[in-house]
């Protein structure tokens, strides 16, 4: 019995030592844990202090060492002519794929993998990679919104685009069964999927974030990903859709209503092209 008690006492001491070691290691890890881990949403206000903290992370990395940020602005659909799925299924799949581009975890899996400089900079500023990504999205979208033209009304784009998308979702024809002209027309309408997705994100940007970007534009234009430094709707522009046909006249004799006078005409002053020698036909 004495031997058993002695062994039990020794075992207890060993267990206690192990618990102390585990406790010390755990407390050491907790020194690097983040107290604040909430992600910034694109519809939330970014404060001056948060922007400065974000910029400090970037300043800790050389300009040529900042990892490229994954694309969040999806291009217009470009379905192959051999796709046999119904148009409605292609539309739904396209919308699902585009929505995943904005997922912070998806971006995190691609952004700065094994980049030691980024990890070190984030650790020094006590910011997680996911938080850095969320700030990039919030500030980047504000920068994109800052570059929209006054005539680009986001509410109108969303309303008009959703109507076009709804019509496509009613089309059950296999895409591969369409004629060349029908495929062209369908892809032209499917461009609204990308337009609406961009507009739905841009419209959530609070005005405070746009003003913040304006006030710090000289700094931000040097560090933000290139996709946020241009008008995000311009590459999806349909000139005829936005501006219409230059002019239209109703009636069979409409061309007779066009007036021309020499005083209003723009007359060129270039010299005529030199006469070319006639081509001899043998």
């Amino acid at each position: 019995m004495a031997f058993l008690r002695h062994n039990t006492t020794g075992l207890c001491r060993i267990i206690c030592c192990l618990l102390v070691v585990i406790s010390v290691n755990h407390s050491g890890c907790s020194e690097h844990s983040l107290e604040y881990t909430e992600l910034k949403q694109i519809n939330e206000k970014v404060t001056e202090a948060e922007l400065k903290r974000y910029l400090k992370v970037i300043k800790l990395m050389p300009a040529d060492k900042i990892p490229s940020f994954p694309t969040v602005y999806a291009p217009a659909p470009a379905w192959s002519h051999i796709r046999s799925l119904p148009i409605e299924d292609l539309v739904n799949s396209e919308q699902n794929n585009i929505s995943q581009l904005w997922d912070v975890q998806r971006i995190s899996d691609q952004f700065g993998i094994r980049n030691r400089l980024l990890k070190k900079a984030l650790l020094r500023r006590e910011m997680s990679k996911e938080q850095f990504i969320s700030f990039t999205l919030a500030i980047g979208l504000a920068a994109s919104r800052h570059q929209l033209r006054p005539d680009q009304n986001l509410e109108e784009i969303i309303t008009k685009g959703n109507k076009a998308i709804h019509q496509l979702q009613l089309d059950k024809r296999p895409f591969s069964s369409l004629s060349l002209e029908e495929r062209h027309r369908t892809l032209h309408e499917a461009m609204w999927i990308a337009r609406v997705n961009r507009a739905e994100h841009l419209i959530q940007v609070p005005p405070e974030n746009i003003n913040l970007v304006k006030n710090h534009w000289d700094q931000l234009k040097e560090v933000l990903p290139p996709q946020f430094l241009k008008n995000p709707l311009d590459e999806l522009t349909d000139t005829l859709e936005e501006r219409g046909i230059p002019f239209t006249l109703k009636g069979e004799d409409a061309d007779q209503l066009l007036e021309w006078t020499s005083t209003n005409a723009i007359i060129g002053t270039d010299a005529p092209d030199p006469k070319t020698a006639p081509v001899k036909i043998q």
Side-chain angles (χ1 to χ4, degrees):
M1 293 293 292
F3 176 76
L4 181 60
R5 283 197 300 270
H6 176 75
N7 281 353
T8 303
T9 302
L11 182 60
C12 289
R13 287 177 180 175
I14 294 174
I15 293 174
C16 288
C17 289
L18 288 174
L19 290 175
V20 169
V21 172
I22 293 172
S23 177
V24 170
N25 289 337
H26 179 72
S27 62
C29 293
S30 64
E31 291 177 359
H32 299 292
S33 62
L34 300 177
E35 295 182 2
Y36 173 74
T37 58
E38 186 176 353
L39 304 183
K40 179 65 64 174
Q41 302 300 313
I42 61 176
N43 61 350
E44 293 179 337
K45 176 183 175 181
V46 178
T47 66
E48 288 276 354
E50 289 171 331
L51 177 61
K52 289 180 181 178
R53 184 173 168 226
Y54 173 78
L55 291 173
K56 285 180 179 179
V57 173
I58 297 176
K59 287 180 181 178
L60 289 174
M61 294 183 289
D64 59 340
K65 298 296 183 181
I66 300 176
S68 59
F69 197 81
T71 300
V72 294
Y73 288 136
W79 304 324
S80 170
H81 68 281
I82 62 174
R83 296 294 300 272
S84 58
L85 285 175
I87 294 173
E88 60 172 340
D89 290 345
L90 290 174
V91 171
N92 294 334
S93 177
E94 191 78 26
Q95 288 181 313
N96 182 58
N97 292 338
I98 286 179
S99 65
Q100 292 180 7
L101 293 179
W102 297 91
D103 182 69
V104 172
Q105 188 57 56
R106 194 277 311 182
I107 297 173
S108 180
D109 292 340
Q110 300 180 18
F111 175 68
I113 300 176
R114 294 183 295 277
N115 189 303
R116 294 181 179 180
L117 290 175
L118 175 62
K119 291 180 179 179
K120 187 180 296 185
L122 291 171
L123 184 62
R124 287 185 60 181
R125 297 304 175 190
E126 297 185 340
M127 183 184 296
S128 71
K129 186 167 69 168
E130 288 74 21
Q131 285 177 316
F132 182 83
I133 291 170
S134 69
F135 278 122
T136 302
L137 291 176
I139 299 169
L141 275 168
S144 293
R145 180 76 182 265
H146 170 52
Q147 294 168 97
L148 293 182
R149 299 192 307 273
D151 62 314
Q152 290 176 312
N153 187 304
L154 294 177
E155 291 184 355
E156 290 182 0
I157 290 174
I158 293 172
T159 300
K160 189 170 186 177
N162 281 332
K163 290 180 180 178
I165 294 171
H166 177 67
Q167 289 301 314
L168 290 173
Q169 290 173 322
L170 297 177
D171 198 333
K172 301 183 181 303
R173 294 176 299 170
F175 186 70
S176 58
S177 69
L178 305 183
S179 65
L180 178 62
E181 182 179 351
E182 288 173 330
R183 289 200 304 270
H184 175 77
R185 189 185 310 115
T186 299
L187 287 174
H188 183 269
E189 289 298 299
M191 191 183 296
W192 282 109
I193 300 173
R195 282 200 201 106
V196 168
N197 181 266
R198 297 186 186 194
E200 286 178 338
H201 284 84
L202 291 167
I203 204 171
Q204 297 183 56
V205 177
E208 294 89 350
N209 290 1
I210 301 175
N211 292 330
L212 186 69
V213 165
K214 290 180 181 178
N215 295 335
H216 297 273
W217 183 245
D218 289 340
Q219 289 177 282
L220 291 172
K221 69 181 181 180
E222 301 297 329
V223 299
L224 283 177
Q227 62 182 308
F228 299 121
L229 299 178
K230 57 185 178 180
N231 189 317
L233 296 179
D234 274 355
E235 61 187 4
L236 298 174
T237 296
D238 182 344
T239 303
L240 289 179
E241 182 69 38
E242 288 195 0
R243 303 182 182 180
I245 300 173
F247 61 86
T248 56
L249 295 174
K250 297 180 179 180
E252 295 180 359
D253 300 327
D255 56 338
Q256 297 178 7
L257 301 177
L258 296 176
E259 297 182 359
W260 181 91
T261 61
S262 59
T263 56
N264 293 331
I266 300 175
I267 302 175
T269 57
D270 294 343
D273 294 334
K275 293 183 177 180
T276 58
V279 178
K280 296 181 178 180
I281 301 176
Q282 298 181 349

